[in-house]
């Protein structure tokens, strides 16, 4: 989750500036990298169509929700569950 924070902040800062989004770093994880690249392509092809943009994936929002849930589990359990350790 901490590794993704600077990436998400970069994309949030860019707003609707597609060239800015292209300059943001990509995740190290191949699966997440592909998801972000696909999201960028989706938003690029929408070219100003608000409904189209809304239909594109929003991987950082989904990840933020997962990180918040994980943070809550860590506080309760005192550490990461084994199945989540490889994500950090």
């Amino acid at each position: 989750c901490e590794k993704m924070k600077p990436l998400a902040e970069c994309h949030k800062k860019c707003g609707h500036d597609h060239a800015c989004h292209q300059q943001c770093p990509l995740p190290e994880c191949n699966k997440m990298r592909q998801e972000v690249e696909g999201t960028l392509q989706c938003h690029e092809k929408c070219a100003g169509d608000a409904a189209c943009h809304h239909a594109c994936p929003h991987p950082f929002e989904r990840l933020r929700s997962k990180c918040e849930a994980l943070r809550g589990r860590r506080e309760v359990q005192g550490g990461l569950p084994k199945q989540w350790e490889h994500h950090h």
Side-chain angles (χ1 to χ4, degrees):
C1 290
E2 290 303 312
K3 287 183 180 181
M4 295 301 290
K5 192 180 286 187
L7 283 67
E9 288 173 357
C10 181
H11 286 285
K12 183 177 181 179
K13 175 187 73 174
C14 289
H16 295 281
D17 182 347
H18 188 73
C20 178
H21 284 287
Q22 294 290 351
Q23 299 302 313
C24 288
L26 291 170
E28 293 176 20
C29 167
N30 284 333
K31 182 179 178 183
M32 190 66 184
R33 177 189 301 260
Q34 290 174 350
E35 190 172 341
V36 170
E37 288 173 337
T39 298
L40 290 172
Q41 290 173 2
C42 181
H43 283 285
E44 182 177 24
K45 78 175 183 175
C46 288
D49 181 339
C52 179
H53 277 286
H54 186 72
C56 289
H58 297 90
F60 292 114
E61 287 300 314
R62 183 179 46 78
L63 185 63
R64 182 183 57 79
S65 297
K66 285 185 174 185
C67 288
E68 287 174 2
L70 180 60
R71 199 172 359 233
R73 286 182 74 179
R74 287 173 68 177
E75 290 170 5
V76 171
Q77 296 177 349
L80 283 174
K82 288 288 183 203
Q83 69 267 28
W84 287 86
E85 287 181 357
H86 71 279
H87 291 285
H88 290 270

